[in-house]
Amino acid sequence: QVQLAESGGGSVQSGGSLKLSCQISGNSGYIDGIYSMAWFRQAPEKGREGVVAVDTDGTKIYADSVKGRFTISHDSAKNIVYLEMNGLRPEDTAMYYCAADKPGYYDRHHLDLERYTYWGQGTLVTVSS
């Protein structure tokens, strides 16, 4: 169906930057059915939370906690979604997951994890103070 592979995580100091990538692969029919791609994160002992999402029409939705610091972009030709993170804070430390939706779930909120069917394995971001 659809496979997602994240990369780009690492350890940085507070105020630093990282750029995550999510490579999309799989059956073209399923990929064509994707309307939204999103990044979620999960800190230790916390639930998974939506960070940012992007639709195929370019609409972007950001969580308040990352507005002005994080930027999502989508290279449709390469089937890659990027998450550029600037001004990182210790509270941004988490495993970051890429997610994609499919038909039948478009009515869910963009940062609702129930909207998304396809998930990557995650990439770890650690921010030290």
Side-chain angles (χ1 to χ4, degrees), residues 50-67:
V51 176
V52 59
V54 60
D55 289 344
T56 53
D57 66 2
T59 301
K60 300 175 183 179
I61 301 91
Y62 290 90
D64 288 343
S65 59
V66 305
K67 281 180 182 176

Side-chain angles (χ1 to χ4, degrees), residues 28-94:
S28 60
Y30 286 96
I31 292 176
D32 289 344
I34 295 172
Y35 185 73
S36 296
M37 295 288 302
W39 287 94
F40 283 74
R41 66 186 180 186
Q42 188 164 13
E45 301 182 0
K46 291 190 176 181
R48 194 168 296 191
E49 64 170 352
V51 176
V52 59
V54 60
D55 289 344
T56 53
D57 66 2
T59 301
K60 300 175 183 179
I61 301 91
Y62 290 90
D64 288 343
S65 59
V66 305
K67 281 180 182 176
R69 300 188 299 124
F70 290 12
T71 303
I72 191 170
S73 60
H74 182 202
D75 186 332
S76 57
K78 295 182 179 179
N79 273 339
I80 299 177
V81 176
Y82 299 101
L83 180 62
E84 187 167 0
M85 305 184 293
N86 298 309
L88 283 162
R89 306 166 180 168
E91 55 264 38
D92 294 317
T93 294

